[in-house]
């Protein structure tokens, strides 16, 4: 849990209050002008009412140049960012023909497979020639190729489950599967900081949803005990089933799930475990098999394992793995399998090839080298940021490193100053995070060299001093320590 310094919280509240007050004042004068110049809606109600898009108009538009920056190259360690400009105070942004070559600290390219690869790329190109860019059909119609069957077998073997099903979009994997797994009369217990795809899937399921404190097994046990003793609302009948949902690595916190403790509690209370490994599969563990391998949890103790191919595998889509009975049931009932277009064949081939490289089945040790490099890069970068005095969230081995910004004025300042010095970062604010907890999210890749990381640290340190986000005293360097000893 993040503890905000008192003065930081006070200044952040004051900043948002100021923005809100001036926004409301401008809206007031806007209503007066609109009353004199009434628009011709021909009897229709306005699609966007004043308060519904207040945040977009008065807060987001001021800094929207920090988001959605177009790129014109592969998201490798370095990529090309297209420059934009605005003539109307950021309401609209227009692209230019100029590009900036920037160090990429924002993409989920954990193992470096998103760029051209000596093993994966030729095979993806061959699959494009043999099949097509799209199957133009759902899996149950004409959208299942030999690649899709091979991919599902490959994924099941990789994650250590009997069977798997792949979908064309990672977000949909959660939001479409949860309503099929559980419904009315069931209980979903979700971590308070689970991804939006899980939140929407839980809402759409019709099940009763309860939340436990982020990554706190003791509170999970308390919630389970209370809910089991109370039963269903009004009738107090026993729950039809209980599913506990957690993530392997939390995407906005960079924290590893306390999986061994959570699994033990779920076993005690006979609840199913649903594990979202979108950011952990392929990125952590000795052979890249995710948090189960890293934390020593038997995959047989995790009932449903979900993940995406957009982070470590340089492709698109998602998967769900479990027992043969569960996967067969999902293939009969899940809308993402029945109605959505299947994964593109070249994308499927990219995933298969990436898994083979990770496992060393390409005849080289490149996969092991990538896994060692992502771990070394992540731990080195996190350690150096903390030494500089930044408030960095997350655990060792996690490639996701949020740097806390807090104040709304520091969001665009940090992003723009980094971009000026050719370092591209991702800043995250409300509604993706709580209002007070804005941050810059750094994603480290195995494709980053030591020189890349040192350059990034130099720029971030300089910008951190300028913006004022070093909330802790910096550790003295080795050279300074030696001088002190000599004196």
């Amino acid at each position: 849990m993040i503890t905000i310094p008192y003065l930081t919280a006070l200044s952040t509240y004051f900043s948002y209050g100021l923005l809100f007050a001036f926004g409301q004042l401008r809206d007031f004068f806007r209503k007066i002008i609109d009353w004199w110049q009434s628009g011709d809606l021909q009897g229709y109600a306005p699609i966007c009412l004043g308060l519904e898009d207040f945040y977009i108009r008065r807060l987001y538009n001021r800094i929207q140049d920090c988001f959605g920056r177009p790129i014109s190259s592969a998201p490798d360690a370095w990529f090309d960012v297209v420059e934009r400009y605005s003539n109307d105070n950021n309401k609209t942004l227009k692209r230019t023909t100029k590009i900036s070559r920037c160090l990429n600290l924002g993409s989920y390219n954990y193992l470096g497979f998103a760029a051209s690869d000596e093993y994966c790329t030729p095979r993806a190109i061959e699959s494009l020639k043999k099949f097509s860019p799209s199957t133009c059909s759902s899996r149950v119609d004409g959208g299942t190729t030999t690649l899709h069957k091979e991919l599902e077998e490959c994924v099941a073997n990789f994650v250590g489950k009997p069977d798997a099903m792949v979908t064309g979009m990672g977000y949909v994997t959660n939001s479409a599967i949860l309503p099929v797994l559980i419904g009315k009369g069931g209980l979903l217990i979700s971590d308070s900081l689970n991804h939006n795809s899980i939140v929407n899937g839980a809402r759409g399921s019709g099940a009763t949803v309860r939340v436990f404190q982020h990554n706190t097994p003791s509170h999970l046990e308390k919630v389970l005990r209370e809910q089991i003793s109370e039963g269903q609302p009004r009738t107090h009948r026993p729950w039809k089933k209980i599913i506990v949902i957690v993530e392997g690595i939390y995407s906005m916190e960079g924290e590893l799930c306390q999986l061994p403790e959570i699994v033990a509690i779920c076993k005690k209370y006979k609840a199913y475990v649903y594990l979202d490994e979108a950011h952990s599969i392929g990125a952590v563990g000795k052979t890249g098999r995710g948090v189960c391998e890293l934390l020593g949890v038997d995959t047989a103790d995790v009932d449903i394992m979900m993940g995406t191919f957009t982070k470590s595998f340089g492709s698109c889509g998602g998967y769900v793995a479990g027992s043969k009975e569960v996967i067969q049931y999902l293939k009969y009932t899940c809308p993402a399998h029945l109605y959505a277009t299947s994964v593109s064949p070249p994308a499927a081939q990219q995933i298969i090839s990436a898994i083979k490289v990770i496992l060393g089945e390409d005849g080289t040790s490149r996969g092991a080298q990538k896994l060692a490099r992502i771990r070394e890069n992540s731990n080195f970068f996190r350690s150096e940021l903390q030494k500089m005095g930044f408030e960095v969230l997350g655990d060792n081995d996690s490639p996701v490193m949020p740097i806390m910004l807090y104040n709304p004025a520091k969001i665009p300042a940090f992003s723009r100053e980094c971009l000026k010095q050719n370092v591209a970062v991702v800043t995250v604010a409300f509604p993706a995070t709580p209002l007070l907890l804005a941050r810059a999210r750094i994603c480290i890749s195995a494709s980053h060299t030591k020189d890349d990381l040192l350059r990034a640290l130099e720029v971030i340190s300089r910008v951190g001093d300028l913006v004022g986000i070093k909330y802790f005293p910096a550790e003295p360097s080795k050279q300074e320590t030696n001088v002190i000893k000599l004196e």
Side-chain angles (χ1 to χ4, degrees), residues 16 21 49 74 100 102 107 113 205 237 262-263 277 291 297 302 316 321 325 328 337 381 444-445 470 484:
Y16 275 113
L49 298 174
S100 298
C102 295
S107 299
F113 285 118
S205 68
R237 291 175 181 172
I262 288 170
V263 165
E277 288 219 82
V291 288
V297 175
V302 180
C316 61
E325 293 77 17
Q328 195 64 35
H337 186 81
F381 204 80
I444 297 299
S445 171
K470 292 184 178 179
I484 293 167

Side-chain angles (χ1 to χ4, degrees), residues 350-372:
Q350 166 70 22
I351 302 160
I352 294 167
S353 302
I355 291 175
K356 287 183 177 180
V357 172
I358 293 169
L359 296 177
E361 294 177 8
D362 63 330
T364 70
S365 61
R366 287 196 308 123
Q369 290 169 11
K370 284 177 179 287
L371 289 166

Side-chain angles (χ1 to χ4, degrees), residues 110 247-249 256 276-284 288-291 312:
Y110 296 147
E247 295 185 32
I249 292 178
L256 294 168
D276 179 341
E277 288 219 82
H279 286 267
S280 54
I281 191 67
V284 296
R289 287 181 164 90
V291 288
S312 297

